[in-house]
Amino acid sequence: MELFHEISQLGPIPDTVTYSTLMQGMCQLGRTSSACELLRKMLAFGQVPDLVTCSILLDGFRKRGKLQEALKLFQAMRNSKLELNIGCYNIFIDGLCKAGHIEAGKDIS
């Protein structure tokens, strides 16, 4: 993160890939709130999250059992211009099922 801040101040503006990579690392460490903060910074600097970025966050929420956050993000993804793929649906349905909401997982379409 220190290197990211240094590059952000001195070098080129970070792109979506850079932010996504950092968010992936934060989610792997269980720091979904830090990943969300990176998303806010990304948006503030005019970078648009893509399907990979959103899937990283969705998976991070799923792994931490943050079903409400995952639901909000999934709904935002469905309402956006992003074309969701089977991977996004699998992440969300897996989270629902592991949380005991199997019927809700069946109803996702």
Side-chain angles (χ1 to χ4, degrees), residues 31-104:
R31 297 174 54 190
T32 53
S33 59
S34 295
C36 289
E37 181 59 33
L38 281 171
L39 178 64
R40 285 187 281 278
K41 288 181 182 180
M42 177 183 177
L43 293 168
F45 285 106
Q47 296 296 319
V48 179
D50 60 12
L51 189 60
V52 173
T53 307
C54 294
S55 295
I56 288 168
L57 288 173
L58 188 63
D59 192 49
F61 291 144
R62 176 191 64 91
K63 287 179 179 173
R64 293 286 165 232
K66 296 184 175 188
L67 198 55
Q68 285 302 108
E69 289 89 341
L71 177 60
K72 288 178 191 176
L73 177 58
F74 188 75
Q75 289 172 335
M77 290 168 70
R78 288 176 83 180
N79 293 334
S80 74
K81 295 178 183 176
L82 293 175
E83 191 169 319
L84 302 185
N85 62 21
I86 194 167
C88 299
Y89 282 93
N90 284 343
I91 292 168
F92 189 62
I93 292 169
D94 181 66
L96 286 171
C97 291
K98 286 182 178 172
H101 303 286
I102 295 171
E103 289 303 316

